[in-house]
Amino acid sequence: MKSNLWIFLILLSAVCLFSTEKMTTAQELIPDTTAEQVPLTEESEKAKQVYTQLMHAIYLQSVGEDLGAAKRIYDALVKQVPDSAYVWYKRGQLLFYPMEDIRGAEEDTLEALKLNPSHVPANWQLAQILLRRASHAGGRNVMEALKTAKKVIELDPNHLGAHQMLANLGYRLRDYATAETSYKALTRILPFEPEFHRYLGNIYRRTNKPQAAIDAYQRVVKIKPDDLEALRTLGELYLNTGQFAEEPQTFKQILALAPQDVIGNFGLGLAFQELAQRALMSEDGESQDDLGDSQTLIQDAEKYLGRTIFFSKDFINNPQNNAQRAYYKDIVIKAQYALANVYLLFEKLEKAEETFAELLADNPEHIGAIYGIAAVYQTMGAFEKAEKYLRQTLAIEPAHEYALNALGYLYAEQGTNLDEAEALIKRALQRSPTNGAFLDSLGWVFFKQGRFTESVTTLENANQQMPDNVEILMHLGDAYLKNGEPEKARGVWQQAQTIEPDNDEIQERLKQ
């Protein structure tokens, strides 16, 4: 076994020695003729002896046998061939590891670089020595290590170790440009190593490049499909960028590995919520993503959002999870809010009221929940409760345009506080001048005030913004009729009937 290793080391070291060093070699001394034709000279004999000693030292160093003997051989060699950068480098390597003589290793490595500044192994060795010094000196020498590693890359653009050092140091020093460059190089050199893509994704997360982070983590899970941590991170990125509906497969992968995972359940719940909303708004009630009709999708959204709340609360109640309790509390709030809005959207008003109330019990100033429960009560016809929560919304956020419009419309429907209703809705329109729903509310206030010409003009504007909205068409017809334009009234009511043929309110108007 040792004889084979000896032969291998001789061949390997000969390549390094004779291709990079100034040391006089046997090949340089002997012409390209056979040994029988050219006798050995004193100089070539010396070169042979140097070479043999060097190979012996390298062997002892490599197998870890008699390091003292290897050191004595190197000591003799640096005297015999003091102009050989390779010999100085190799002795420095022995001193650095395994002999742990950092000072001696640095001195020898610097001597090698004096003789050959472009010597890649010596530059790399110096970078490692400087980094070792930094680890024992409170961070001093870190920048020198970084600078030296960059020099290694200049000399050898594909140097794996130097790129890893630059990437790690850059990441730790928050020099993300340097770290990004080196991690990109590492993903090119070793494209199927997931950790390099993972760190690259983390850099993009820290530098606010979400789509680049998503791309990097997609490569991680493509290389390693069962990497639950990477899947969770990718899922969080989809949640933060609103891409949960487009990428439900990631959340399914998470739940296949960990059925109780909060991120997997939350992401899938939001995906189904979004798809259900799309299906509800589509003409035929079918999801464009072929995941089922709106009723099925809403059941799935309810299922996964409910599981999210349950598993998150279970995690929160475990006293061993103090470190992440705030994170999971936030997930509970978001899941409750999403679930309540699902119920509101599909007019499951009692469940919506219950879920919003549960959210507000622990988070009494959650502006979305306050406005949401007001919308529930307004839809139920519980106007006093709706007014209370709308005013509470505006007390916290006076410029909340939807609350301004909702309260104004509530007063218009009741025929009370019409001057205040007009002022409220005009404030909402200052923020969104072309919002068809807000224009409809203002037109309806004008109608209730008996200002029919202004009502017609405003409702025509609303109809231009939302041409197929049945409520606007009914209001516009009412305004035309009161403004002395019965034919126009009948025309817009007929248009509304083509959209909702079974709407009783439209049929009652057409009977007039």
Side-chain angles (χ1 to χ4, degrees):
M1 189 69 177
K2 288 186 179 179
S3 61
N4 291 337
L5 179 60
W6 168 263
I7 293 169
F8 171 74
L9 288 172
I10 288 176
L11 293 174
L12 179 63
S13 301
V15 172
C16 298
L17 179 64
F18 291 111
S19 63
T20 62
E21 301 308 317
K22 289 184 177 180
M23 185 179 74
T24 304
T25 65
Q27 186 176 358
E28 291 171 338
L29 292 171
I30 301 173
D32 189 16
T33 56
T34 64
E36 290 77 10
Q37 293 173 322
V38 180
L40 288 174
T41 65
E42 182 180 347
E43 194 170 359
S44 62
E45 181 65 29
K46 178 183 176 183
K48 185 182 75 170
Q49 291 174 1
V50 168
Y51 176 75
T52 303
Q53 292 175 52
L54 180 61
M55 292 304 99
H56 188 200
I58 290 173
Y59 170 75
L60 293 173
Q61 179 180 353
S62 300
V63 298
E65 290 186 1
D66 202 349
L67 298 179
K71 170 70 164 49
R72 287 191 293 273
I73 295 171
Y74 282 128
D75 290 345
L77 286 173
V78 295
K79 293 177 181 178
Q80 293 179 58
V81 282
D83 59 345
S84 171
Y86 185 75
V87 171
W88 286 102
Y89 154 70
K90 289 302 294 182
R91 190 174 77 166
Q93 186 184 62
L94 176 68
L95 294 172
F96 182 43
Y97 183 81
M99 298 187 77
E100 297 289 336
D101 180 359
I102 306 301
R103 179 177 296 178
E106 184 173 6
E107 289 173 356
D108 279 6
T109 305
L110 290 173
E111 187 65 32
L113 290 173
K114 282 182 186 178
L115 294 166
N116 183 2
S118 298
H119 193 285
V120 173
N123 276 286
W124 171 231
Q125 187 161 279
L126 179 60
Q128 294 177 85
I129 289 170
L130 290 169
L131 188 59
R132 177 73 67 84
R133 283 193 176 282
S135 67
H136 296 292
R140 290 198 303 273
N141 301 114
V142 167
M143 301 312 296
E144 290 87 346
L146 199 68
K147 181 179 178 181
T148 307
K150 286 180 179 179
K151 184 176 180 181
V152 175
I153 297 301
E154 290 173 6
L155 296 168
D156 179 4
N158 292 324
H159 196 288
L160 183 66
H163 275 303
Q164 285 182 298
M165 181 182 287
L166 282 174
N168 293 335
L169 284 178
Y171 192 84
R172 288 162 57 191
L173 295 171
R174 299 177 185 261
D175 180 359
Y176 295 127
T178 295
E180 179 184 352
T181 299
S182 280
Y183 276 123
K184 279 183 176 179
L186 289 167
T187 60
R188 173 177 53 79
I189 297 167
L190 294 174
F192 297 109
E193 173 50 60
E195 289 309 303
F196 298 149
H197 295 286
R198 189 193 310 272
Y199 275 107
L200 197 55
N202 289 340
I203 288 169
Y204 291 136
R205 291 172 72 194
R206 291 183 176 224
T207 55
N208 196 28
K209 297 176 183 176
Q211 189 54 53
I214 286 172
D215 294 341
Y217 267 95
Q218 283 176 337
R219 287 189 285 273
V220 175
V221 298
K222 187 174 183 180
I223 297 166
K224 198 175 179 183
D226 59 348
D227 189 327
L228 184 57
E229 181 184 350
L231 285 164
R232 282 173 176 157
T233 302
L234 184 57
E236 287 182 340
L237 287 165
Y238 285 140
L239 290 173
N240 292 338
T241 55
Q243 298 182 49
F244 39 81
E246 284 70 25
E247 300 293 345
Q249 188 57 38
T250 298
F251 302 109
K252 290 180 180 179
Q253 285 179 258
I254 294 172
L255 294 182
L257 295 168
Q260 296 184 0
D261 186 85
V262 169
I263 292 299
N265 281 286
F266 188 38
L268 206 53
L270 290 178
F272 282 124
Q273 176 202 23
E274 178 68 20
L275 294 172
Q277 186 170 353
R278 292 180 191 177
L280 185 67
M281 295 174 66
S282 65
E283 292 182 359
D284 56 4
E286 296 294 327
S287 168
Q288 297 175 355
D289 298 78
D290 298 325
L291 290 177
D293 59 26
S294 60
Q295 193 60 38
T296 301
L297 291 167
I298 192 61
Q299 290 173 355
D300 288 334
E302 182 178 10
K303 169 185 173 181
Y304 288 105
L305 289 171
R307 286 165 62 93
T308 301
I309 295 167
F310 178 82
F311 292 137
S312 294
K313 286 187 174 181
D314 187 56
F315 188 94
I316 292 166
N317 292 332
N318 187 336
Q320 296 180 350
N321 297 327
N322 284 333
Q324 291 184 288
R325 186 166 293 175
Y327 173 80
Y328 283 95
K329 281 184 177 179
D330 185 59
I331 292 289
V332 169
I333 292 169
K334 290 177 179 176
Q336 286 177 324
Y337 183 60
L339 182 59
N341 277 296
V342 165
Y343 290 140
L344 177 59
L345 177 67
F346 289 88
E347 297 187 353
K348 296 184 176 184
L349 300 178
E350 290 184 0
K351 285 190 172 182
E353 178 190 9
E354 178 184 346
T355 309
F356 277 129
E358 184 179 354
L359 174 54
L360 288 170
D362 295 324
N363 307 273
E365 294 195 356
H366 190 291
I367 192 74
I370 296 169
Y371 174 71
I373 201 167
V376 170
Y377 288 132
Q378 193 161 4
T379 307
M380 285 179 167
F383 297 126
E384 288 186 7
K385 289 183 177 179
E387 180 183 6
K388 169 190 170 183
Y389 283 103
L390 287 171
R391 288 204 174 276
Q392 188 175 339
T393 303
L394 293 173
I396 297 171
E397 188 178 327
H400 194 298
E401 58 193 86
Y402 295 99
L404 289 167
N405 175 71
L407 185 57
Y409 187 74
L410 184 149
Y411 288 144
E413 282 284 271
Q414 293 180 297
T416 59
N417 302 331
L418 294 177
D419 290 341
E420 184 182 2
E422 179 182 351
L424 289 166
I425 297 167
K426 283 182 175 178
R427 281 170 58 193
L429 282 165
Q430 287 176 354
R431 298 179 65 84
S432 299
T434 60
N435 187 302
F438 296 176
L439 288 165
D440 174 63
S441 297
L442 183 61
W444 198 234
V445 169
F446 289 150
F447 181 88
K448 290 298 184 78
Q449 290 174 328
R451 298 155 63 180
F452 301 121
T453 301
E454 291 174 85
S455 178
V456 165
T457 301
T458 305
L459 289 168
E460 285 177 339
N461 191 4
N463 184 46
Q464 287 178 354
Q465 302 299 327
M466 300 173 67
D468 296 322
N469 185 282
V470 170
E471 187 172 15
I472 292 175
L473 289 169
M474 287 195 295
H475 287 167
L476 180 57
D478 293 346
Y480 278 141
L481 187 65
K482 287 291 186 178
N483 203 42
E485 301 175 89
E487 291 304 316
K488 285 187 176 181
R490 178 165 292 276
V492 294
W493 287 335
Q494 288 173 341
Q495 181 184 345
Q497 188 178 44
T498 63
I499 300 169
E500 292 186 10
D502 300 325
N503 189 307
D504 293 338
E505 292 185 52
I506 299 171
Q507 292 176 5
E508 287 297 321
R509 282 172 167 79
L510 286 170
K511 290 177 184 178
Q512 297 183 37

